[in-house]
Amino acid sequence: MTHDRTELPAEGVPRSTLEAQLKSMPPDAVHGHWSRAFRGPEDVQEVGRMAYNMFLSDNGIFSLRSEYIRRIEEEVIGMCVSLFNAPEDASGTFTSGGSESNYSALHAMREWAREHHPHITAPEVIVPFSAHPTFSKGCHYFGLKLVRTALGKDLRADVSAMAEAIGPNTIAIAGSAPCWPYGLYDPIAAISDLAVKHDLWMHVDACVGGYLAPFVESLGHPLPAWDFRVPGVKSISADLHKYGYCPKPASTVLWRSESLKRFHHVHPEDWPGGPYQMQGFAGSRTAGPIFAAWTVLKYLGRSGYRRLAAQLLDTSRRLAEGIESVEGMYVFKSDLMPLGFGSHVLDMQLIMGGLRKIGWLLVASRQPPLINLPVDGATGDAVINAFVADLRKVAAAVRAGADAGRAELTY
Ligand SMILES: *Cc1c(COP(=O)(O)O)cnc(C)c1O
């Protein structure tokens, strides 16, 4: 049997050779743009890199015990919690991303249910069909049964379908603010009513919208209530490495109270080292993202995030106008982000295939067929103009009957 597996070189390779190789690897800035989301403008990226590099080699495993890391992580959580209309003793946990934030919530709700609903031995969690796949992954990891309910005609969670799905084993319910495929807010307040009525844990997945919504609202664009103002909401996930414009990996899971955070922590002692206390799932981790998040949050402040939110709305509008100027294309009417576009007349699999062939790295959704563009603070005219021009070319070719190959409309 032959393998083309790379082997460790016998002798070290010179740094200059490696640097040249590394530089040749990534896709070009324009075609690779959407796959690099989410980034802030260059100055924000630079500030994040500065702090990240300074603390790259510091070990975040000790963030509960190393005073200088503990304090910074706490300040990050403090700044984040302050955005979500939280009660006085609300709390949070710094995580590696929306995946880990959602896993943390799923784990905590399971532990909570063991105390609050001890008779339930086969726990179930209800989410709308549009909820992120990390709910499916997390439920798989934690032995929870996930029930996905049908969406309403407006593609938001159908609250009556969720109510019907509640049974004797239900421990929790969740909605998105907004969901990834459509950028639409689920009726969080109505889902919360169900949670309160049936004594369920309610989680809100605000991974994509969490650090954008407060500033869009402050610019005078009302959004549906989705945060701790809604009484049934016990936990919220929100990604700093999306519209918080912090370097990856960085996200938060916020808890309505310290007493709920208790269900998150697992601190075993049954080994020779005694108490093993970490912030979350990770053990050894770089402290870089924690310090970078602290630095970016402070660097921007409320006024900076508001300015970037205004800029983002403007960028999205220009991109949307460009896309709608292409015959046959429409922009999906979302509440926030991402920007999705589709067609009522052209086969979106052919559009996706054509754009992929040109080199664009894209993600999409199937129902309805939409290509999802994560517009961010680094999206500028060069990308918008190139993308719209290529879309115009591809759409014209598809309209003329060309078949340059299909691509699945998948994430
Ligand atoms: C991005 C996202 C996630 C997952 O976050 P990662 O940081 O990619 O792990 C979960 N839910 C929603 C709504 C998201 O947009």
Side-chain angles (χ1 to χ4, degrees):
M1 241 172 61
T2 57
H3 293 284
D4 58 358
R5 180 196 293 147
T6 302
E7 293 192 355
L8 185 67
E11 304 292 337
V13 178
R15 184 206 146 105
S16 57
T17 311
L18 294 171
E19 191 176 353
Q21 282 181 8
L22 290 169
K23 283 189 170 149
S24 74
M25 288 178 190
D28 72 89
V30 168
H31 293 93
H33 177 84
W34 304 118
S35 69
R36 296 201 171 87
F38 292 75
R39 296 175 300 165
E42 184 48 42
D43 65 312
V44 179
Q45 290 182 50
E46 203 285 316
V47 161
R49 272 197 295 270
M50 176 270 291
Y52 199 112
N53 288 335
M54 210 179 284
F55 290 91
L56 176 66
S57 306
D58 292 48
N59 198 341
I61 192 173
F62 299 120
S63 76
L64 289 177
R65 285 180 293 142
S66 259
E67 187 49 27
Y68 76 108
I69 308 181
R70 193 191 61 74
R71 199 177 66 243
I72 290 305
E73 199 170 50
E74 230 165 59
E75 289 191 23
V76 168
I77 292 301
M79 288 189 270
C80 294
V81 167
S82 75
L83 293 172
F84 300 145
N85 300 291
E88 195 56 42
D89 76 330
S91 184
T93 305
F94 189 91
T95 73
S96 63
S99 301
E100 188 184 342
S101 293
N102 282 344
Y103 303 157
S104 300
L106 289 166
H107 170 261
M109 63 181 66
R110 189 192 70 180
E111 296 305 297
W112 171 86
R114 281 179 176 167
E115 253 185 58
H116 282 74
H117 302 285
H119 62 283
I120 297 180
T121 53
E124 299 182 13
V125 176
I126 299 171
V127 299
F129 174 57
S130 52
H132 198 268
T134 46
F135 285 99
S136 306
K137 275 181 83 172
C139 284
H140 183 85
Y141 291 147
F142 299 128
L144 297 164
K145 182 180 169 197
L146 187 70
V147 178
R148 284 183 185 264
T149 53
L151 303 177
K153 279 205 181 65
D154 60 358
L155 297 179
R156 298 173 203 271
D158 176 346
V159 179
S160 56
M162 294 184 101
E164 264 170 46
I166 295 173
N169 290 328
T170 307
I171 62 160
I173 198 162
S176 309
C179 69
W180 173 265
Y182 318 126
L184 292 174
Y185 281 70
D186 289 321
I188 299 297
I191 298 173
S192 158
D193 290 344
L194 286 181
V196 171
K197 182 172 162 204
H198 297 274
D199 192 19
L200 308 175
W201 181 295
M202 178 169 176
H203 178 69
V204 172
D205 182 353
C207 278
V208 67
Y211 292 108
L212 179 58
F215 305 105
V216 166
E217 279 185 315
S218 80
L219 289 166
H221 303 279
L223 290 167
W226 62 274
D227 61 13
F228 288 118
R229 278 171 286 191
V230 183
V233 175
K234 283 191 169 25
S235 57
I236 294 174
S237 45
D239 288 351
L240 285 167
H241 65 202
K242 285 182 181 152
Y243 291 109
Y245 295 133
C246 298
K248 293 177 256 312
S251 172
T252 49
V253 55
L254 294 321
W255 316 103
R256 176 175 285 275
S257 66
E258 278 291 345
S259 61
L260 290 178
K261 188 179 183 178
R262 180 167 65 83
F263 297 105
H264 166 66
H265 285 305
V266 181
H267 292 159
E269 303 189 12
D270 54 344
W271 76 312
Y276 184 77
Q277 301 186 339
M278 315 287 98
Q279 191 63 261
F281 294 138
S284 298
R285 55 179 178 146
T286 164
I290 307 166
F291 284 86
W294 183 89
T295 310
V296 168
L297 286 160
K298 292 244 177 193
Y299 176 72
L300 284 171
R302 282 189 182 262
S303 65
Y305 280 109
R306 200 180 309 120
R307 175 173 49 77
L308 292 185
Q311 193 181 303
L312 185 80
L313 294 178
D314 187 57
T315 307
S316 303
R317 184 187 47 75
R318 284 186 291 120
L319 177 60
E321 283 170 8
I323 290 170
E324 295 211 311
S325 77
V326 177
E327 195 184 329
M329 293 293 148
Y330 78 95
V331 171
F332 185 84
K333 204 173 160 4
S334 68
D335 294 322
L336 199 59
M337 285 288 153
L339 188 148
F341 72 94
S343 177
H344 298 303
V345 287
L346 301 176
D347 183 336
M348 284 302 288
Q349 288 192 355
L350 290 175
I351 300 288
M352 183 80 162
L355 289 168
R356 281 257 184 92
K357 192 155 272 181
I358 296 174
W360 290 96
L361 296 170
L362 299 166
V363 294
S365 324
R366 292 170 171 163
Q367 306 175 22
L370 291 175
I371 292 176
N372 302 116
L373 301 177
V375 185
D376 65 18
T379 306
D381 283 339
V383 166
I384 293 179
N385 295 340
F387 187 77
V388 171
D390 283 348
L391 179 62
R392 201 181 305 285
K393 252 186 264 167
V394 169
V398 170
R399 217 176 313 111
D403 184 348
R406 290 165 178 277
E408 281 272 357
L409 294 170
T410 58
Y411 188 76

